[in-house]
Amino acid sequence: MEDIIVVENLHKVYKMGDVDVHALRGVTLTIKKGEFISVMGPSGSGKSTLMNIIGCLDKPTSGRYFLEENDISLLDKDELADIRNKKIGFVFQNFNLLPRSTAIENVELPLIYDGIPSDKRYRLAKEALFMLGLEGREKHYPTQLSGGQQQRVAIARAIINKPSIILADEPTGNLDTNTSTEIMEIFRRLNKEGKTIIMITHETDIAAFAERIVVFRDGKVMKEEWRSKEKLNEPVSRV
Amino acid sequence: MNPLVAFRVSYRALRRNKVRSILTTLGIIIGVAAVITMVSLTQGAKRIIEEQLTSLGGNSLIINPGSRSRSGVSKGLGKTNTLPSEDAEAIRKLSTVTHVSPILDTTEQVVWGNRDWFTALVGVSPDFVFINGWFPERGSFFHNEDIKNAELVCVLGKTVASNLFGYQNPLGKTIRIGNISFKVIGVMSSIGQTPGGKDQDDIVLIPYTTMQKRILGVNYVNNISVSVRTSKDIPFAEAQITQLLRERHRIRPNMEDDFYVKTQLNIIERIFTISKIMTILLGSIASISLIVGGIGIMNIMLVSVTERTREIGIRMAVGAKERDILIQFLIEAVALSLTGGVIGIVLGIAGSKISSLFTHWPTLVSFGSILLAFGFAAIVGIFFGLYPASKASKLDPIEALRYE
Ligand SMILES: Nc1ncnc2c1ncn2[C@@H]1O[C@H](COP(=O)(O)OP(=O)(O)OP(=O)(O)O)[C@@H](O)[C@H]1O
Ligand SMILES: [Mg+2]
């Protein structure tokens, strides 16, 4: 399989007054198209920082990042916005839905910025909600939906523009065990359909859905573990 | 993102915050309404002034004897005797002149039966009625024959007629003016008071020749009233008359005139300038409230940007470009100010109708002032919306997403 994401020796330093916070200290990672990866590690180890760089929301202080063999550091703001729009779907721990917009308005948001006409937007968004089992919830506002339903709206939004990569930062962090499993089944299905999924999690049983587990510590990759297809659902060793 | 979509996104955002949106536009509403009301009021006032000026004889001029001092005030006060009545006949022949009337005035006691009244006695020619656009209401005015023969006929002003005759018909009656008997042949219509409060109907008109020969015993006139076709002809007529009279009076080139021509043009121009200044003044006072309204919009948009930092982050995360965010917030600001503009126009029209009721002025809501107010509102929206919008669009996606 071709390499969809390649990061080489990534560093990220936050300046907090006089103090430098080293969030990433040389991360090198290669991700193949269609992989399902869990990222684990203690709090503050730099997982979200890496995720934001991969998602083109943030830029590294140094190091290189290739997305589908394109050097991201050469792109301007508008081009990065285009990548976020078409190539990447984000799923967040706190869902990040627009609170004053309905489910369907939230889902069609990426299409607005892709210049898709409204009738087509509506149709695609309705389809996406249907696929995620949210038929009849189109006109509901986020506060009128359960956590699991909100996360499914967020996933519908993440996949609406058919990105090849889904980045999920603790997508089940705010959900109970049953709902978490439902969400993970959705990710597994999306992965089977060919999407590359990178997911941060603190829970070993959630991480166990992935084929590869990358463990972070102090801004570096401490350990990587490949899991054969048969063993996928077996518990992951604690980090 | 196409503008229509941008507009719809902005519209949704505004509708979700209805009360705030309305309060925000209040400044613009008041500003636009004030501009329209103020401008229409001053334009109404201007029209009244114009009408009054025309009724005062915007196309007439008066020749006075004596010279004009540097300050423009007559030294002779019209009581010098340098204007013979033949001057009037000569002026009548000038190309621009339509009517000419010599004027002599004095005050006299008029008596009918046991009633008497002290009034202005004015000697004029038949042209007088055309120059002033003031005609008899009953009976007739005197004719050129009466002038030639210095007939003892008179036309009464409304005030004199009612004071001497009450409800009786004055026509054909004989009254005494300074011991001479005059036959009443007409009564003038009422023209009311001068702007200064003087009763213009308190007058008795007689042929100027009668005035010269029977009352005053002079052969000059106090002044000569002249009308020209339109007020545009006045400057030329003034030059013509000056030249003619200098010749007739044999005034050498380096000598001062022994007469002066008074036109209303100066006054008219000055009054127009004043009313223009008033329009500009009131308009700019009202515009200040528009600017204050704009600052209100900027203030709320800044609050809104801060409040919606997270929303902006989310939009950026799913692919919104700087320009998309900029346009969204700019359209919100402009939509706010234009909505305020429309409401303000409606209120402004209502306001000018109401103030028209109170002032009894005709208020003119011109298309121009509506366009001006609306355009100004749009510019205010863009100007004061630009800063918050650009602030929103410059947010860092990650920081915006993390914002609590
Ligand atoms: N904007 C920022 N400014 C300063 N320091 C930051 C910023 N963002 C992250 N950091 C620091 O960088 C380090 C890595 O943060 P990051 O969010 O990547 O950790 P994480 O692995 O995602 O942790 P968690 O599991 O708690 O989400 C932390 O020490 C954090 O304090
Ligand atoms: Mg994190």
Side-chain angles (χ1 to χ4, degrees), chain B residues 271-314:
Chain B
I271 289 175
F272 280 174
T273 314
I274 290 171
S275 72
K276 205 180 279 172
I277 290 171
M278 286 298 285
T279 311
I280 293 171
L281 192 73
L282 289 177
S284 34
I285 291 172
S287 307
I288 289 172
S289 56
L290 257 182
I291 291 171
V292 173
I295 294 170
I297 286 188
M298 176 154 77
N299 187 24
I300 289 296
M301 291 306 296
L302 282 175
V303 171
S304 169
V305 167
T306 311
E307 270 181 4
R308 285 153 68 191
T309 300
R310 185 71 161 268
E311 171 190 330
I312 295 164
I314 293 170

Side-chain angles (χ1 to χ4, degrees), chain A residues 94, chain B residues 306-307 309-310 399-404:
Chain A
N94 57 2
Chain B
T306 311
E307 270 181 4
T309 300
R310 185 71 161 268
E399 272 161 27
L401 268 178
R402 272 216 203 97
Y403 186 85
E404 291 304 328

Side-chain angles (χ1 to χ4, degrees), chain B residues 66-68 242 246 249 251 255-261:
Chain B
S67 60
R68 196 199 300 259
T242 304
R246 281 182 74 91
H249 297 186
I251 299 169
M255 298 262 292
E256 255 187 73
D257 296 345
D258 62 351
F259 62 90
Y260 69 94
V261 180

Side-chain angles (χ1 to χ4, degrees), chain A residues 77 84-85 94 96 100, chain B residues 16 310 315-316 318 322:
Chain A
K77 280 184 179 175
R84 294 197 295 269
N85 184 244
N94 57 2
N96 268 340
R100 290 162 189 267
Chain B
R16 274 173 212 128
R310 185 71 161 268
R315 288 179 185 276
M316 285 176 162
V318 301
E322 265 186 33

Side-chain angles (χ1 to χ4, degrees), chain A residues 43-44 46-49 93 169-170 200 202:
Chain A
S43 189
K47 307 181 294 292
S48 297
T49 305
Q93 175 176 4
D169 194 342
E170 301 184 41
I200 297 175
H202 284 286

Side-chain angles (χ1 to χ4, degrees), chain B residues 323-343:
Chain B
R323 195 165 36 101
D324 297 324
I325 303 291
L326 183 88
I327 289 173
Q328 181 191 337
F329 279 87
L330 204 53
I331 287 181
E332 273 179 38
V334 173
L336 275 175
S337 65
L338 286 191
T339 311
V342 170
I343 299 173

Side-chain angles (χ1 to χ4, degrees), chain A residues 52 57-58 77-78 81-82 84-85 90 92 94 96-98 100-101 105 109-110 112-113 118 157, chain B residues 1 5 8-9 12 16-17 310-311 314-322 324 328 397-398 401-402:
Chain A
N52 292 335
L57 283 167
D58 208 353
K77 280 184 179 175
D78 282 1
D82 256 340
R84 294 197 295 269
N85 184 244
F90 285 98
F92 303 93
N94 57 2
N96 268 340
L97 297 173
L98 298 182
R100 290 162 189 267
S101 296
E105 285 169 354
L109 204 57
I112 288 182
Y113 297 111
S118 73
R157 181 181 66 190
Chain B
M1 186 164 55
V5 176
R8 228 180 284 148
V9 169
R12 263 188 227 152
R16 274 173 212 128
N17 251 320
R310 185 71 161 268
E311 171 190 330
I314 293 170
R315 288 179 185 276
M316 285 176 162
V318 301
K321 302 191 168 97
E322 265 186 33
D324 297 324
Q328 181 191 337
I398 274 293
L401 268 178
R402 272 216 203 97

